[in-house]
C-alpha cells in the first residue's frame, strides 16, 4: 500500500486562503513543536489576520520583523496587520519596504494598489498597477509596454506594442494592451476589433472582457457594454471598477436613479476616495438631487482640497454654491503648484465665482487661463471650417436630395435639436419633453459614430454611392441604437446632440421623416457662453475666441444651405424670441412638428426628468431674461470674437 507523506508546514500554508481557521490550528501545533522556526509563526500571524484578528497577529509579526528584517513576506503581513488595527501610515511604509526588498512581490503591490485606490492616491495606485503589469507579462517588451500603459504613457507604449503584435499576432495580452492605446487615442473601432480578437484567443480572461466593455462604452454602445460586464459582475459583485463602469453605462442609457444608487454605494464603500465622491456628485446632479450633489462635491474638496474637478462641479451647478471662503481657498490654491488639470478646472471655477460677484475683468482672465489649458489638453480645433461647409454644399445639392427622396427609414419618431452648445437647446428639449407625445433622451452619439464609420469607408463618395437599401439600413441602425434610450413609449424622441447640424444632409437621407430644429442664439452670447464653459469632452473649438467665431459661421453656412436646398427640412427657433414670447414660439414649434399645443410645455420646469447637460439646473426654473445680455459685461474682452464673426455678428438671424 502506497503511503503519501504530507508536509505539515505546506498543509498549513495551503489552508490560509480557503480555511484560515485550519491554518491557525496547524501553525500553533507546529510552533509549539519548534519555537525557533519562524515559518509556522508567520503562517499563524497570517491566519489570525485573515480571521479578523490583526491585533493578535501584530506582536508575532513585530518579533519576526526584528529578527528577520529582510524578509519581504513578513513585512507584507506586518503592513496589512498594521492597517487592520488602524495604523495605516505605518502599514503603508511596511508594504513599501516589502516591495523594496522583493520588487517581484505581487501580493504586496496589489495591497498597495488597493489601499491607494481606497484613499484616492491616484499616482501611488498607478505605480503599483504598473509594477503588477510588468510582473504579469511573459515577454520583456510586453512588460515594458504594460508598465507604460498602466502609467498612462500610451504614446510611448504604442510603437512597442505594434512591433510586438506584428511579431506575435496571436498573443491575447499584446492585443489587449494595443487596444488600450487605441482607446486612449479615441480610435475605439480599432480597439473593439483587437479586443474581440484577444477574447477569441483567451475567452476566460476577465481583463480582456472588461476592456471590451470599456471600449464599447467609449463607443457609446452602453447596452453592449453591459452585456460584456454582466458575467464579471456576477463573479465579483463588489468590484469597484466593474460597478463604476456599470453606473456609467446606466447613466448613458438614461437610468439615472440606478446610476446614482451605484455611485452612492461606492461612495459609502470608499469614503476616503475623492474621485469616487466627485463621481457621486456628477450622478446626483444628473438625477436632479442637487443637495446630494453639493454634499458629494464638498466632501471631495475636504478630502483633496486641490481637486479642481470638485470645485468645478460646485461652480458648474450655476446656483451660486461657492462662498467667500471658497473663493479665498481657490485663490490660494491657484497661487501654488498644481497639476495642469486641476489648475484648468480651478480657473474655470474661480472665474464663475468672480462673474457671479460682478468682477468681469477678473472672471475673463481666469476663463482665458482655463481655456488656454483646455486647448492644450483637448487639442486646438485646427480645422478649415469654410472648406468643410463648402464640401457639404457641394454634395447635398437640390438634385442630389431629390434623387434620393423617399429613401431611408420612413420612421418619423426622431426630433433632432441642433446648433451650438449653450444656445438654449437644453431649454427647448425640456419644453418638448414636457409634451405627452415626446420623450427627451440625451445628446445621443450615434449619428456621429455612423459618420465616423462612413468617413473610414470613403466619406462623401460612400454616401453618394449608397443604395436605397444601404440608406435604409443606416437609418434603421441609428433608430435601433437610439430606441435603447426610450423608456416611456411615446411617439417621438429627442436627440439633442448639437453638433449634428454638420450631418443634416445624412439625417435627411437615412431618416427623411425626422424633424430637425435649429436653436439659434446671438453669436456673441452663444460663443462667449461656450468660451466660459469647460466641457467634459470634445467641443475643441470652444477654447479660443477666433475658433468660436469660425465655428459659428460654419454652423450658419450649413443650416442656411439646407434652408435653401430643402425648404421646411429645418425649423429655426431663435432663443431670444423664445424668451420674449414663450407661448407663441412654443405653439409655432409644435405646429412645425405636427403636434397639438399642450400647456404642460409652458410648465417645463415642473418636469423632473433627468437632465445631463451643463444647463441642468437652469431648465428646472421658469424662463428668465437676465442671461440674454450677460455677455455685454465682457464685451471689452471679446473683440477677437466680434471681428471673426464679421457680418454674422449682426446678420446672424438671416
Amino acid at each position: 500500500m502506497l503511503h503519501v507523506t504530507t508536509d505539515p508546514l505546506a498543509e498549513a500554508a495551503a489552508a490560509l486562503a480557503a480555511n484560515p481557521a485550519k491554518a491557525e490550528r496547524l501553525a500553533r501545533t507546529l510552533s509549539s513543536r519548534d519555537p525557533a522556526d519562524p515559518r509556522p509563526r508567520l503562517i499563524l500571524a497570517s491566519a489570525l489576520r485573515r480571521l479578523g484578528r490583526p491585533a493578535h497577529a501584530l506582536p508575532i509579526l513585530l518579533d519576526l520583523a526584528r529578527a528577520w528584517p529582510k524578509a519581504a513576506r513578513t513585512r507584507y503581513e506586518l503592513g496589512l496587520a498594521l492597517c487592520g488595527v488602524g495604523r495605516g501610515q505605518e502599514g503603508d511604509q511596511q508594504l513599501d519596504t516589502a516591495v523594496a526588498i522583493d520588487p517581484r512581490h505581487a501580493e504586496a503591490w496589489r495591497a498597495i494598489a488597493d489601499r491607494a485606490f481606497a484613499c484616492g492616491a491616484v499616482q501611488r495606485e498607478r505605480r503599483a498597477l504598473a509594477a503588477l503589469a510588468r510582473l504579469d507579462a511573459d515577454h520583456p517588451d510586453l512588460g515594458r509596454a504594460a508598465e507604460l500603459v498602466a502609467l498612462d504613457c500610451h504614446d510611448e507604449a504604442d510603437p512597442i506594442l505594434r512591433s510586438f503584435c506584428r511579431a506575435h499576432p496571436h498573443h491575447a495580452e499584446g492585443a489587449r494592451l494595443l487596444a488600450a492605446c487605441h482607446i486612449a487615442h479615441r480610435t475605439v473601432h480599432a480597439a473593439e476589433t483587437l479586443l474581440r480578437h484577444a477574447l477569441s484567443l483567451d475567452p476566460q480572461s476577465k481583463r480582456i472582457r472588461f476592456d471590451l466593455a470599456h471600449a464599447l462604452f467609449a463607443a457609446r454602445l452602453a447596452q453592449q457594454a453591459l452585456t460584456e460586464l454582466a458575467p464579471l459582475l456576477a463573479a465579483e459583485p463588489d468590484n469597484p471598477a466593474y460597478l463604476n463602469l456599470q453606473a456609467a453605462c446606466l447613466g448613458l442609457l438614461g437610468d439615472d436613479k440606478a446610476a446614482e444608487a451605484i455611485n452612492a454605494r461606492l461612495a459609502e464603500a470608499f469614503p476616503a476616495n475623492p474621485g469616487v465622491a466627485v463621481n457621486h456628485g456628477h450622478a446626483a446632479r444628473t438625477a436632479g438631487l442637487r443637495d446630494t450633489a453639493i454634499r458629494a462635491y464638498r466632501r471631495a474638496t475636504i478630502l483633496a482640497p486641490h481637486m479642481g474637478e470638485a470645485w468645478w462641479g460646485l461652480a458648474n451647478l450655476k446656483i451660486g454654491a461657492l462662498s467667500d471662503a471658497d473663493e479665498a481657498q481657490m485663490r490660494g490654491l491657484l497661487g501654488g503648484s498644481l497639476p495642469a488639470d486641476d489648475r484648468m478646472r480651478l480657473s474655470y471655477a474661480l472665474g464663475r465665482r468672480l462673474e457671479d460677484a460682478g468682477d468681469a475683468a477678473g472672471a475673463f482672465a481666469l476663463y482665458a487661463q482655463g481655456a488656454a489649458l483646455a486647448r492644450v489638453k483637448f487639442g486646438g480645433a485646427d480645422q478649415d471650417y469654410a472648406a468643410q461647409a463648402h464640401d457639404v454644399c457641394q454634395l447635398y445639392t437640390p438634385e442630389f436630395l431629390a434623387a434620393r427622396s423617399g429613401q431611408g427609414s420612413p420612421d418619423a419618431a426622431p426630433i433632432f435639436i441642433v446648433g451650438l452648445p449653450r444656445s438654449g437647446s437644453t431649454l427647448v428639449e425640456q419644453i418638448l419633453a414636457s409634451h405627452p407625445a415626446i420623450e427627451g433622451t440625451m445628446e445621443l452619439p450615434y449619428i456621429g459614430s455612423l459618420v465616423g464609420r462612413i468617413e473610414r469607408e470613403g466619406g462623401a463618395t460612400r454616401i453618394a454611392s449608397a443604395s436605397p437599401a444601404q440608406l435604409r439600413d443606416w437609418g434603421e441602425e441609428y433608430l435601433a441604437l437610439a430606441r435603447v434610450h426610450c423608456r416611456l413609449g411615446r411617439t417621438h424622441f429627442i436627440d439633442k446632440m448639437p453638433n449634428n447640424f454638420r450631418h443634416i444632409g445624412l439625417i435627411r437621407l437615412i431618416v427623411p421623416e425626422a424633424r430637425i430644429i435649429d436653436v439659434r442664439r446671438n453669436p456673441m452670447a452663444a460663443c462667449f457662453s461656450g468660451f466660459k464653459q469647460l466641457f467634459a469632452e470634445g467641443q475643441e473649438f470652444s477654447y479660443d475666441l477666433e475658433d468660436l467665431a469660425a465655428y459659428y459661421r460654419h454652423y450658419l453656412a450649413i443650416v442656411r444651405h439646407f434652408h435653401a436646398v430643402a425648404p421646411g427640412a429645418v425649423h429655426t427657433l431663435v432663443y431670444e424670441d423664445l424668451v420674449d414670447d414663450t407661448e407663441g414660439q412654443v405653439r409655432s414649434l409644435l405646429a412645425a412638428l405636427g403636434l397639438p399645443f399642450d400647456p404642460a410645455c409652458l410648465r417645463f420646469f415642473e418636469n423632473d426628468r433627468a437632465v445631463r447637460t451643463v444647463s441642468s439646473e437652469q431648465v428646472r426654473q421658469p424662463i428668465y431674461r437676465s442671461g440674454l445680455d450677460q455677455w455685454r459685461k465682457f464685451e471689452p474682452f471679446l473683440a477677437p470674437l466680434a471681428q471673426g464673426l464679421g457680418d454674422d455678428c449682426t446678420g446672424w438671424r438671416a
Side-chain angles (χ1 to χ4, degrees):
M1 183 176 179
L2 181 63
H3 294 278
V4 179
T5 302
T6 302
D7 179 355
L9 195 66
E11 184 181 0
L16 276 173
N19 193 347
K22 177 182 177 181
E24 179 192 2
R25 291 194 302 272
L26 293 171
R28 287 192 185 280
T29 300
L30 292 169
S31 291
S32 65
R33 291 176 183 171
D34 187 359
D37 188 347
R39 294 173 298 172
R41 294 161 63 200
L42 182 59
I43 294 172
L44 173 60
S46 181
L48 291 169
R49 176 185 64 77
R50 293 165 193 262
L51 289 167
R53 293 147 61 192
H56 294 84
L58 198 54
I60 303 170
L61 291 165
L62 288 169
D63 286 344
L64 290 172
R66 280 191 290 268
W68 286 275
K70 298 295 185 183
R73 181 77 190 183
T74 298
R75 297 287 189 166
Y76 161 71
E77 288 289 348
L78 177 56
L80 293 183
L82 286 165
C83 293
V85 297
R87 294 161 62 179
Q89 186 173 356
E90 295 173 76
D92 288 337
Q93 291 171 353
Q94 292 297 329
L95 292 171
D96 288 344
T97 301
V99 296
I101 295 168
D102 180 8
R104 299 189 61 81
H105 199 307
E107 288 176 293
W109 283 119
R110 171 49 61 191
I112 291 170
D114 289 345
R115 282 190 50 74
F117 173 78
C119 65
V122 176
Q123 294 304 319
R124 180 173 171 80
E125 180 192 12
R126 189 169 285 169
R127 287 193 298 270
L129 292 175
L132 286 167
R134 184 181 65 249
L135 291 175
D136 194 47
D138 58 7
H139 187 283
D141 289 346
L142 197 64
R144 175 59 180 153
E147 184 177 34
L148 289 168
V149 167
L151 292 171
D152 203 22
C153 299
H154 295 91
D155 288 342
E156 295 177 56
D158 190 280
I160 301 172
L161 288 165
R162 289 181 185 275
S163 177
F164 181 86
C165 288
R166 281 194 295 268
H168 306 85
H170 301 297
H171 196 290
E173 183 64 5
R176 183 188 77 84
L177 290 167
L178 183 56
C181 294
H182 277 290
I183 292 174
H185 296 143
R186 303 196 178 201
T187 47
V188 182
H189 63 284
E192 181 185 351
T193 300
L194 280 165
L195 289 165
R196 292 198 183 280
H197 169 62
L199 201 59
S200 72
L201 297 170
D202 187 3
Q204 302 307 313
S205 172
K206 293 180 180 179
R207 287 189 302 189
I208 296 173
R209 192 170 297 279
F210 177 71
D211 282 6
L212 176 57
H214 181 234
L216 291 167
F217 170 74
R220 298 299 187 258
L221 300 173
Q223 195 63 59
Q224 295 181 35
L226 286 173
T227 299
E228 298 297 337
L229 201 55
L232 302 178
L233 278 166
E236 298 180 59
D238 296 323
N239 185 304
Y242 298 168
L243 288 170
N244 186 57
L245 182 56
Q246 182 190 31
C249 289
L250 291 171
L252 185 57
L253 292 171
D255 194 349
D256 300 289
K257 290 183 179 179
E260 190 278 329
I262 293 172
N263 277 286
R265 174 181 165 191
L266 286 168
E268 184 177 1
F270 300 98
N273 187 317
V276 171
V278 164
N279 286 345
H280 186 208
H282 294 338
R285 170 188 172 157
T286 300
L289 304 174
R290 178 195 296 176
D291 292 342
T292 301
I294 291 173
R295 286 194 298 271
Y297 290 138
R298 286 283 178 201
R299 179 167 183 77
T301 64
I302 293 169
L303 293 169
H306 67 279
M307 193 174 193
E309 190 174 3
W311 291 107
W312 175 237
L314 284 168
N316 204 28
L317 287 169
K318 299 185 176 72
I319 55 169
L322 295 170
S323 65
D324 292 345
D326 294 328
E327 179 183 330
Q329 187 173 358
M330 287 189 288
R331 287 185 183 277
L333 289 166
L334 285 169
S337 177
L338 284 171
D341 271 14
D342 290 317
R343 182 170 296 278
M344 174 183 72
R345 291 179 170 89
L346 273 161
S347 296
Y348 278 100
L350 183 54
R352 181 67 50 78
R353 166 66 185 171
L354 294 186
E355 181 179 358
D356 290 345
D359 182 0
F364 186 84
L366 284 158
Y367 289 145
Q369 176 180 305
L373 292 167
R375 192 169 169 81
V376 172
K377 177 181 175 65
F378 297 114
D382 194 29
Q383 296 188 43
D384 189 342
Y385 292 124
Q388 292 175 25
H390 177 266
D391 291 344
V392 169
C393 297
Q394 287 292 105
L395 176 61
Y396 294 104
T397 63
E399 297 77 18
F400 182 88
L401 292 169
R404 290 156 180 80
S405 177
Q407 298 177 18
S409 171
D411 198 312
I415 298 171
F416 292 89
I417 299 179
V418 303
L420 255 70
R422 312 296 300 136
S423 290
S425 57
T426 303
L427 173 61
V428 174
E429 178 195 35
Q430 185 79 344
I431 289 170
L432 291 179
S434 302
H435 193 285
I438 304 174
E439 179 169 1
T441 59
M442 59 187 298
E443 295 181 354
L444 300 179
Y446 305 123
I447 291 293
S449 297
L450 177 59
V451 168
R453 192 171 79 232
I454 291 172
E455 287 294 328
R456 295 192 295 273
E457 295 173 355
T461 303
R462 179 74 178 97
I463 293 172
S465 63
S467 66
Q470 179 64 80
L471 293 176
R472 186 183 182 103
D473 286 347
W474 283 339
E476 294 296 338
E477 177 186 341
Y478 165 77
L479 290 164
L481 292 168
R483 281 209 173 89
V484 171
H485 302 266
C486 299
R487 299 170 176 272
L488 303 179
R490 296 181 178 178
T491 307
H492 298 280
F493 68 87
I494 300 170
D495 181 339
K496 201 191 74 67
M497 180 62 77
N499 300 347
N500 278 340
F501 74 83
R502 307 176 78 174
H503 313 308
I504 289 173
L506 182 67
I507 291 169
R508 292 290 298 161
L509 296 184
I510 68 173
V511 279
E513 299 301 315
R515 285 18 179 233
I516 302 172
I517 303 167
D518 158 41
V519 181
R520 190 176 304 181
R521 186 180 180 188
N522 181 313
M524 296 298 288
C527 291
F528 176 62
S529 187
F531 180 73
K532 66 178 183 175
Q533 180 65 46
L534 177 59
F535 294 95
E537 61 179 350
Q539 318 299 6
E540 292 84 0
F541 62 87
S542 68
Y543 303 115
D544 178 88
L545 293 176
E546 292 180 359
D547 281 350
L548 273 160
Y551 192 80
Y552 191 95
R553 300 195 76 172
H554 168 59
Y555 146 70
L556 281 185
I558 290 178
V559 175
R560 285 168 172 165
H561 172 75
F562 284 100
H563 274 304
V565 301
V570 179
H571 176 83
T572 290
L573 171 64
V574 174
Y575 173 71
E576 286 78 1
D577 293 346
L578 178 64
V579 174
D580 285 338
D581 178 19
T582 303
E583 182 172 344
Q585 290 296 315
V586 170
R587 286 182 179 275
S588 176
L589 175 59
L590 290 171
L593 297 175
L595 294 172
F597 175 75
D598 191 291
C601 293
L602 300 180
R603 302 197 63 79
F604 60 88
F605 46 87
E606 296 176 352
N607 189 337
D608 63 357
R609 59 180 286 270
V611 181
R612 298 170 182 81
T613 70
V614 295
S615 304
S616 58
E617 296 305 315
Q618 293 165 302
V619 299
R620 292 188 172 114
Q621 54 187 305
I623 288 178
Y624 51 90
R625 295 188 51 83
S626 58
L628 288 180
D629 293 322
Q630 278 184 329
W631 67 274
R632 293 194 180 278
K633 293 182 291 185
F634 295 86
E635 194 168 7
F637 315 109
L638 302 180
L641 174 60
Q643 185 175 354
L645 287 165
D647 293 343
D648 287 323
C649 190
T650 54
W652 56 277
R653 284 178 176 266

